Amino acid sequence: MKKILYTFIISLLIIGCSSTKGNSSGDSSTNSVDETYGYSEKNAIKVGGFEQGPKNERDYLNSLTGPNGEPVFFKRKGSCCDFKTSNSPLGIGLLDMYNVWYAGKNDTVLLYINMYDKGKLKAPKGFIMK
C-alpha cells in the first residue's frame, strides 16, 4: 500500500513540476494570424455594443500586452471610414482609430476598432491578450 501511495505522490509531483508554456507567447486562439486584423479599416476589430462602445474599446485595448507582456499604451486618433451597420441607430457607423504602442517599442501602430458590430476578439499581430 505504501508503494502505491509513494508512486501516486511522485506522479503528482512530476506532473505539477513539469514545464508549461508561459503567457508571453499568448494563447493561439486569441492571437490573430491575419496580418490585416486591426491594422486595416477593412478588417477592423469588432468590440460590439453601441451603447457600451467606447468602454468596450478601452477594455479591449487594456487587454493587450506587448509580445513579452509589456504594458500597452493607446491614444485615440479620431474616427474614419463610414460603413453600413444595423447596430447603429442611424444605420451607419464610423471606425475609431487608436495609436497603440508598448514599453520599449519605438514606433506606434494604428489600430481600427468597430464599436458597433461584434466579432471574435483576438490580439493583432505583434500583441498578445492578457
Side-chain angles (χ1 to χ4, degrees):
M1 182 68 171
K2 277 187 176 181
K3 200 174 205 181
I4 294 172
L5 182 60
Y6 286 131
T7 304
F8 178 73
I9 291 172
I10 291 172
S11 297
L12 284 176
L13 288 173
I14 290 171
I15 292 169
C17 294
S18 65
S19 106
T20 59
K21 247 187 183 177
N23 288 341
S24 65
S25 64
D27 177 352
S28 63
S29 67
T30 60
N31 292 342
S32 179
V33 294
D34 185 339
E35 301 275 340
T36 67
Y37 179 75
Y39 293 103
S40 164
E41 65 272 8
K42 303 233 184 288
N43 196 8
I45 300 157
K46 297 176 181 177
V47 298
F50 170 70
E51 291 181 15
Q52 293 292 315
K55 179 186 179 309
N56 290 353
E57 289 179 347
R58 288 188 304 276
D59 288 348
Y60 171 78
L61 291 166
N62 283 321
S63 77
L64 299 177
T65 69
N68 297 305
E70 302 92 339
V72 165
F73 306 97
F74 55 90
K75 181 174 170 105
R76 187 174 180 277
K77 183 175 180 175
S79 298
C80 75
C81 319
D82 60 291
F83 61 96
K84 291 181 182 181
T85 177
S86 60
N87 296 315
S88 165
L90 302 175
I92 292 179
L94 291 172
L95 299 178
D96 287 324
M97 301 177 299
Y98 284 87
N99 287 319
V100 182
W101 68 98
Y102 53 84
K105 184 169 178 54
N106 295 329
D107 57 345
T108 64
V109 297
L110 183 65
L111 294 181
Y112 295 88
I113 301 182
N114 173 343
M115 73 174 188
Y116 302 92
D117 303 319
K118 283 189 178 186
K120 181 161 175 49
L121 295 177
K122 293 184 174 261
K125 279 286 217 188
F127 296 90
I128 59 173
M129 291 182 79
K130 295 179 192 174

mmCIF file of all heavy atoms in Angstrom, residues 1 6 14 22 31 40 43 49 63 65 71 78-79 82-83 102 123:
data_model
loop_
_atom_site.group_PDB
_atom_site.id
_atom_site.type_symbol
_atom_site.label_atom_id
_atom_site.label_comp_id
_atom_site.label_asym_id
_atom_site.label_seq_id
_atom_site.Cartn_x
_atom_site.Cartn_y
_atom_site.Cartn_z
ATOM 1 N N MET A 1 0.827 -1.183 0.000
ATOM 2 C CA MET A 1 0.000 0.000 0.000
ATOM 3 C C MET A 1 0.874 1.251 0.000
ATOM 4 O O MET A 1 0.554 2.216 -0.685
ATOM 5 C CB MET A 1 -0.929 -0.054 1.213
ATOM 6 C CG MET A 1 -1.869 1.079 1.295
ATOM 7 S SD MET A 1 -3.061 0.959 -0.060
ATOM 8 C CE MET A 1 -4.170 2.192 0.380
ATOM 9 N N TYR A 6 3.342 6.116 -2.504
ATOM 10 C CA TYR A 6 4.549 6.828 -2.927
ATOM 11 C C TYR A 6 4.553 7.049 -4.433
ATOM 12 O O TYR A 6 4.896 8.135 -4.917
ATOM 13 C CB TYR A 6 5.810 6.052 -2.507
ATOM 14 C CG TYR A 6 6.117 6.125 -1.029
ATOM 15 C CD1 TYR A 6 6.396 4.986 -0.304
ATOM 16 C CD2 TYR A 6 6.139 7.346 -0.370
ATOM 17 C CE1 TYR A 6 6.682 5.039 1.040
ATOM 18 C CE2 TYR A 6 6.422 7.410 0.976
ATOM 19 C CZ TYR A 6 6.693 6.265 1.684
ATOM 20 O OH TYR A 6 6.976 6.324 3.024
ATOM 21 N N ILE A 14 5.721 15.083 -10.263
ATOM 22 C CA ILE A 14 6.271 15.177 -11.622
ATOM 23 C C ILE A 14 5.334 15.987 -12.503
ATOM 24 O O ILE A 14 5.758 16.884 -13.223
ATOM 25 C CB ILE A 14 6.522 13.778 -12.214
ATOM 26 C CG1 ILE A 14 7.694 13.119 -11.473
ATOM 27 C CG2 ILE A 14 6.799 13.862 -13.713
ATOM 28 C CD1 ILE A 14 7.897 11.663 -11.819
ATOM 29 N N GLY A 22 4.684 29.637 -21.033
ATOM 30 C CA GLY A 22 4.339 30.866 -20.341
ATOM 31 C C GLY A 22 3.341 31.682 -21.138
ATOM 32 O O GLY A 22 3.090 31.427 -22.297
ATOM 33 N N ASN A 31 -4.742 34.964 -30.582
ATOM 34 C CA ASN A 31 -3.787 35.712 -31.396
ATOM 35 C C ASN A 31 -4.153 35.577 -32.858
ATOM 36 O O ASN A 31 -4.265 34.467 -33.369
ATOM 37 C CB ASN A 31 -2.362 35.195 -31.194
ATOM 38 C CG ASN A 31 -1.847 35.483 -29.811
ATOM 39 O OD1 ASN A 31 -2.367 36.323 -29.106
ATOM 40 N ND2 ASN A 31 -0.823 34.779 -29.420
ATOM 41 N N SER A 40 -6.221 47.270 -40.641
ATOM 42 C CA SER A 40 -6.883 47.716 -41.864
ATOM 43 C C SER A 40 -8.326 48.074 -41.559
ATOM 44 O O SER A 40 -9.003 47.372 -40.790
ATOM 45 C CB SER A 40 -6.840 46.591 -42.914
ATOM 46 O OG SER A 40 -7.756 46.830 -43.941
ATOM 47 N N ASN A 43 -10.666 45.301 -42.053
ATOM 48 C CA ASN A 43 -10.606 44.181 -41.112
ATOM 49 C C ASN A 43 -10.458 44.724 -39.686
ATOM 50 O O ASN A 43 -9.547 44.361 -38.949
ATOM 51 C CB ASN A 43 -9.448 43.254 -41.478
ATOM 52 C CG ASN A 43 -9.555 41.907 -40.797
ATOM 53 O OD1 ASN A 43 -10.549 41.590 -40.162
ATOM 54 N ND2 ASN A 43 -8.523 41.109 -40.927
ATOM 55 N N GLY A 49 -21.513 46.401 -29.356
ATOM 56 C CA GLY A 49 -22.246 47.072 -28.290
ATOM 57 C C GLY A 49 -22.234 48.576 -28.376
ATOM 58 O O GLY A 49 -21.478 49.239 -27.671
ATOM 59 N N SER A 63 -6.745 44.990 -22.577
ATOM 60 C CA SER A 63 -6.500 43.549 -22.502
ATOM 61 C C SER A 63 -5.249 43.139 -23.282
ATOM 62 O O SER A 63 -4.838 41.984 -23.229
ATOM 63 C CB SER A 63 -7.710 42.764 -23.029
ATOM 64 O OG SER A 63 -7.749 42.777 -24.443
ATOM 65 N N THR A 65 -1.176 43.227 -24.401
ATOM 66 C CA THR A 65 0.186 43.473 -23.921
ATOM 67 C C THR A 65 1.113 43.360 -25.120
ATOM 68 O O THR A 65 0.719 42.881 -26.182
ATOM 69 C CB THR A 65 0.645 42.448 -22.852
ATOM 70 O OG1 THR A 65 0.809 41.174 -23.469
ATOM 71 C CG2 THR A 65 -0.317 42.365 -21.692
ATOM 72 N N PRO A 71 3.473 46.491 -20.893
ATOM 73 C CA PRO A 71 2.215 47.253 -20.829
ATOM 74 C C PRO A 71 1.970 48.003 -22.140
ATOM 75 O O PRO A 71 2.910 48.470 -22.775
ATOM 76 C CB PRO A 71 2.430 48.227 -19.672
ATOM 77 C CG PRO A 71 3.880 48.219 -19.380
ATOM 78 C CD PRO A 71 4.468 46.966 -19.946
ATOM 79 N N GLY A 78 -8.984 59.457 -33.692
ATOM 80 C CA GLY A 78 -10.176 60.022 -34.306
ATOM 81 C C GLY A 78 -11.021 58.926 -34.925
ATOM 82 O O GLY A 78 -10.853 57.748 -34.616
ATOM 83 N N SER A 79 -11.923 59.318 -35.809
ATOM 84 C CA SER A 79 -12.814 58.376 -36.482
ATOM 85 C C SER A 79 -12.660 58.494 -37.989
ATOM 86 O O SER A 79 -12.223 59.523 -38.502
ATOM 87 C CB SER A 79 -14.270 58.665 -36.100
ATOM 88 O OG SER A 79 -14.461 58.499 -34.724
ATOM 89 N N ASP A 82 -16.728 55.498 -42.866
ATOM 90 C CA ASP A 82 -18.125 55.164 -42.606
ATOM 91 C C ASP A 82 -18.508 53.846 -43.282
ATOM 92 O O ASP A 82 -17.972 53.488 -44.323
ATOM 93 C CB ASP A 82 -19.047 56.295 -43.057
ATOM 94 C CG ASP A 82 -18.951 56.594 -44.522
ATOM 95 O OD1 ASP A 82 -17.890 57.107 -44.956
ATOM 96 O OD2 ASP A 82 -19.910 56.310 -45.237
ATOM 97 N N PHE A 83 -19.420 53.119 -42.642
ATOM 98 C CA PHE A 83 -19.887 51.832 -43.156
ATOM 99 C C PHE A 83 -21.319 51.605 -42.697
ATOM 100 O O PHE A 83 -21.773 52.206 -41.726
ATOM 101 C CB PHE A 83 -18.984 50.680 -42.693
ATOM 102 C CG PHE A 83 -18.934 50.526 -41.193
ATOM 103 C CD1 PHE A 83 -19.753 49.608 -40.543
ATOM 104 C CD2 PHE A 83 -18.066 51.292 -40.423
ATOM 105 C CE1 PHE A 83 -19.718 49.463 -39.160
ATOM 106 C CE2 PHE A 83 -18.025 51.161 -39.044
ATOM 107 C CZ PHE A 83 -18.851 50.241 -38.415
ATOM 108 N N TYR A 102 3.794 49.963 -26.995
ATOM 109 C CA TYR A 102 4.097 49.350 -25.707
ATOM 110 C C TYR A 102 5.503 49.746 -25.284
ATOM 111 O O TYR A 102 6.291 50.230 -26.097
ATOM 112 C CB TYR A 102 3.926 47.825 -25.729
ATOM 113 C CG TYR A 102 4.664 47.097 -26.826
ATOM 114 C CD1 TYR A 102 6.000 46.744 -26.681
ATOM 115 C CD2 TYR A 102 4.009 46.747 -28.006
ATOM 116 C CE1 TYR A 102 6.668 46.076 -27.688
ATOM 117 C CE2 TYR A 102 4.668 46.071 -29.004
ATOM 118 C CZ TYR A 102 5.999 45.744 -28.839
ATOM 119 O OH TYR A 102 6.667 45.082 -29.841
ATOM 120 N N ALA A 123 -5.876 39.194 -30.558
ATOM 121 C CA ALA A 123 -4.814 40.196 -30.488
ATOM 122 C C ALA A 123 -4.242 40.388 -31.896
ATOM 123 O O ALA A 123 -3.981 39.412 -32.589
ATOM 124 C CB ALA A 123 -3.714 39.739 -29.549
#
